[in-house]
Amino acid sequence: MNIFQKVKSLNLPPGKYVVVAGSALEGYGIRKNNDIDITVTKDVYENLKGKGWEESVRPDGNTGLVKDKYEIGVGFSYGEYQVPAEDLIKTAKVINGIPFVGLAEIVNFKKARNSEKDKEDIKLIEQYLQFHT
């Protein structure tokens, strides 16, 4: 299954979620990702929590839901970079029926986190934009 099929299999309500981080890079065709990171509205988060998703504290200190290779949160944040789900959903780019966070937001997030992997992803995004804008 590709990322589009995997996200669609969750049957999340339209307008209530957006694919973020490295998972979004896969949606854009920039690189593959091992898991699927999704930001949802608070009502969807609470609904999933009641349906067998495990709530855990992620490495960044935020709480999220985990099931199989899916990670779900209610925002996209690291340190002082904090963007609520609703803002990301409004500006999402829909590809094959799935909303993905914009590349500018991914760059902002990755600059805030600033790991070696993030620096590599920023280079990949810049290369992608040279040929797709």
Side-chain angles (χ1 to χ4, degrees), residues 20-39:
V20 297
S23 305
L25 294 181
E26 186 169 346
Y28 283 95
I30 295 173
R31 72 160 171 84
K32 290 283 189 189
N33 201 55
N34 293 328
D35 60 4
I36 298 179
D37 302 299
I38 301 173
T39 294

Side-chain angles (χ1 to χ4, degrees), residues 48-61:
L48 290 172
K49 193 164 76 170
K51 292 183 176 179
W53 287 72
E54 180 183 335
E55 190 169 45
S56 66
V57 177
R58 299 191 314 226
D60 61 8

Side-chain angles (χ1 to χ4, degrees), residues 21-82:
S23 305
L25 294 181
E26 186 169 346
Y28 283 95
I30 295 173
R31 72 160 171 84
K32 290 283 189 189
N33 201 55
N34 293 328
D35 60 4
I36 298 179
D37 302 299
I38 301 173
T39 294
V40 299
T41 57
K42 289 177 184 172
D43 59 318
V44 172
Y45 184 92
E46 291 302 320
N47 185 31
L48 290 172
K49 193 164 76 170
K51 292 183 176 179
W53 287 72
E54 180 183 335
E55 190 169 45
S56 66
V57 177
R58 299 191 314 226
D60 61 8
N62 292 316
T63 302
L65 298 174
V66 179
K67 188 175 187 181
D68 302 321
K69 290 194 174 235
Y70 298 95
E71 294 182 18
I72 294 184
V74 293
F76 193 38
S77 62
Y78 190 86
E80 293 191 19
Y81 175 79
Q82 307 272 332

